[in-house]
Amino acid sequence: MSANASFLIHHPRLILYFNKPSTSILHLRQNLSLRHLPQSLNPSIYSSFSVALFRSCRFSRPSFSLNPRKLSSSSSSSSSYSTTASAEPPSLSSNDNGGGGRSGALSSPPVIEVPQKIDVNPPKGTRDFPPEDMRLRSWLFQNFREVSRLFGFEEVDFPVLESEALFVRKAGEEIRDQLYNFKDRGNRRVALRPELTPSLARLVIQKGKSVSLPLKWFAIGQCWRYERMTRGRRREHYQWNMDIIGVPEVTAEAELISSIVTFFKRLGITASDVGFKVSSRKVLQEVLRCYSIPENMFGKVCIIIDKIEKIPIEEIKGELVSVGISEAAIEELLQVLSVKSLDKLEEILGDAGDAVKDLKQLFSLAEKFGYSDWIQFDASVVRGLAYYTGIVFEGFDREGKLRAICGGGRYDQLLSTFGGDDIPACGFGFGDAVIVELIKEKGLLPELSHEVENIVCPLDKELQGAAATVATILRQKGQSVDLVLENKPLKWVFKRAARINAGRLILVGNSEWQKGMVGVKILSTGEQYEIKLDELE
């Protein structure tokens, strides 16, 4: 019979305090005295019990007590005792004669909370960025910033948390269902930003006449939308926005598309990989005007039409009917939306309206900018956000494997929605998740390994301070340094140097340091030499 089993037979009350598993033996020593063990228990098992039992037991408040009067001291089976309900843990006393004796030697132990394991995955639709992913993100953002610099844009940023009304007022009520929104402690309705353009409009109004037009601003910010996830679409993403405020001409849209094409070319993406569908909200306006459809219906119609490639055409018709569009207007509208040629559009609408004129000018400018093979006319492109007023465009994967890569357009009336003056404006948003999927698909993912110029290692523990001095001198000269912070063997140091792609190893040894020198090993060639500290570059 094991020590554990023997102990429990003679002291069944103790089982109240021992449930598997526990990591502490201290509570046993505090609460259990060997004098309470019966004489029939072999003392030779005490030490093995105290270790083995408490390694496999856990203290907890008992939910029952044992009736000692129903115990048989000579019993060899756990069936010789019974249980009765009890709200409090019992005290254990020694009472061989049914009378006095010491009590309370085994007191009620403290209840130990067992911590619950958390889910180590980030919330659904969000991402962690470990070093390898962070290097890719930094590389991508560097390209965003470099293209923006090439086009003369200045960087801005806005709060991630904004007033809910900022997004609902003009983006459309549909977006309310996609917001991460709540009331703050001041009872204000706030939301995590789902996009950047409304925040930009707010800032422009705030700055007022203190800034001179035109403004060419860009931003890279994190956005949040609670929506169905697909490949390249997450509930949080980073977005690159470029906006031109104060230019009414189509040259602004042409410049923005040129900046995106420049970005694609930097990454190795060509016109055979990606294209732009271009249209104008004014096309829809002209059709709806023919059927005397009220101006306030325009935004709702655009939101429905934006789903044209996502849901069956019958559902599109049903939604248009539900907002009050006549069947005759729907038929003509769908006919116009099927047009893929600018010449065909001109046949339907004529050349008197702004829609055809703006589009013809844009395609003419595309030739001058050198990206005419990147763009194509598609009347079905309207963009889902309600605030667009003119030309709209959307970047797409020509193989059709991914959702829209980027999109934008003109929004000349957005500022007045928030109480400002109408200022002509246009811009685009470009998400980080879809472009990463595309460059992976095209095999254009760059090699982005961790690289450090120097690794500095003391050869003795006493030289740790000297090694810190060497590292500080190099860092002050603008060089990256990985300082070995523990007393490690050289074999470990060389492995570490290989992992971080160090350019050279600098060894701080006793004899060299006394001469004001350090040892240097160029890791790519194996060249070794000693150099004075003040000559180390």
Side-chain angles (χ1 to χ4, degrees), residues 247-254 257 278-283 285-286 342 345-346 349-366 371 375 377 389-392 410 412:
V247 177
E249 302 296 328
V250 179
T251 49
E253 288 95 324
I257 296 174
V278 180
S279 187
S280 174
R281 285 281 184 95
K282 294 177 182 179
V283 172
Q285 284 177 321
E286 292 186 21
L342 197 52
L345 181 69
E346 190 172 3
L349 300 180
D351 59 359
D354 290 338
V356 174
K357 183 179 70 174
D358 289 348
L359 288 164
K360 289 176 75 172
Q361 185 182 358
L362 178 62
F363 277 82
S364 175
L365 287 167
Y371 61 79
I375 68 172
F377 174 72
T389 57
I391 284 179
V392 286
R410 180 160 290 276
D412 287 347

Side-chain angles (χ1 to χ4, degrees), residues 16-32:
L16 302 179
Y17 299 95
F18 308 141
N19 288 325
K20 63 178 182 179
S22 171
T23 58
S24 174
I25 195 171
L26 295 178
H27 298 293
L28 173 66
R29 292 176 175 173
Q30 292 170 355
N31 296 304
L32 179 64

Side-chain angles (χ1 to χ4, degrees), residues 227-259:
E227 60 182 344
R228 186 175 65 87
M229 292 180 295
T230 58
R231 185 182 178 192
R233 182 186 289 271
R234 300 177 180 275
R235 289 177 178 167
E236 64 79 26
H237 70 281
Y238 285 87
Q239 188 165 300
W240 171 41
N241 272 35
M242 291 179 71
D243 294 86
I244 300 175
I245 313 293
V247 177
E249 302 296 328
V250 179
T251 49
E253 288 95 324
E255 173 93 333
L256 290 172
I257 296 174
S258 179
S259 68

Side-chain angles (χ1 to χ4, degrees), residues 179-376:
L179 291 177
Y180 282 89
N181 52 354
F182 56 93
K183 281 187 179 180
D184 67 9
R185 293 186 179 181
N187 209 33
R188 293 172 290 260
R189 295 293 307 179
V190 293
L192 296 178
R193 63 188 181 197
E195 54 163 330
L196 302 179
T197 306
S199 297
L200 171 76
R202 178 186 55 73
L203 181 58
V204 172
I205 295 171
Q206 179 200 120
K207 301 299 289 184
K209 294 183 179 179
S210 66
V211 292
S212 57
L213 301 178
L215 301 176
K216 297 174 71 176
W217 285 355
F218 82 95
I220 302 170
Q222 192 177 34
C223 299
W224 298 80
R225 278 181 189 250
Y226 192 89
E227 60 182 344
R228 186 175 65 87
M229 292 180 295
T230 58
R231 185 182 178 192
R233 182 186 289 271
R234 300 177 180 275
R235 289 177 178 167
E236 64 79 26
H237 70 281
Y238 285 87
Q239 188 165 300
W240 171 41
N241 272 35
M242 291 179 71
D243 294 86
I244 300 175
I245 313 293
V247 177
E249 302 296 328
V250 179
T251 49
E253 288 95 324
E255 173 93 333
L256 290 172
I257 296 174
S258 179
S259 68
I260 304 174
V261 170
T262 301
F263 170 79
F264 283 139
K265 288 179 177 179
R266 287 176 63 91
L267 271 56
I269 295 169
T270 68
S272 61
D273 301 317
V274 167
F276 292 88
K277 296 177 182 178
V278 180
S279 187
S280 174
R281 285 281 184 95
K282 294 177 182 179
V283 172
L284 289 182
Q285 284 177 321
E286 292 186 21
V287 174
L288 296 178
R289 193 178 297 119
C290 292
Y291 288 88
S292 302
I293 294 172
E295 187 75 19
N296 62 358
M297 299 295 295
F298 180 65
K300 293 180 180 179
V301 172
C302 289
I303 291 171
I304 295 169
I305 295 301
D306 188 52
K307 305 173 185 176
I308 205 162
E309 293 184 351
K310 304 167 187 172
I311 63 176
I313 197 67
E314 291 304 317
E315 291 186 32
I316 295 289
K317 291 179 179 180
E319 291 192 26
L320 290 171
V321 168
S322 69
V323 297
I325 309 299
S326 68
E327 291 189 7
I330 291 172
E331 289 303 320
E332 182 165 344
L333 186 58
L334 293 177
Q335 181 184 354
V336 171
L337 293 175
S338 66
V339 173
K340 308 295 182 185
S341 162
L342 197 52
D343 292 336
K344 180 66 174 176
L345 181 69
E346 190 172 3
E347 287 179 19
I348 297 172
L349 300 180
D351 59 359
D354 290 338
V356 174
K357 183 179 70 174
D358 289 348
L359 288 164
K360 289 176 75 172
Q361 185 182 358
L362 178 62
F363 277 82
S364 175
L365 287 167
E367 292 183 14
K368 306 299 188 294
F369 275 104
Y371 61 79
S372 57
D373 54 338
W374 290 72
I375 68 172
Q376 63 190 57

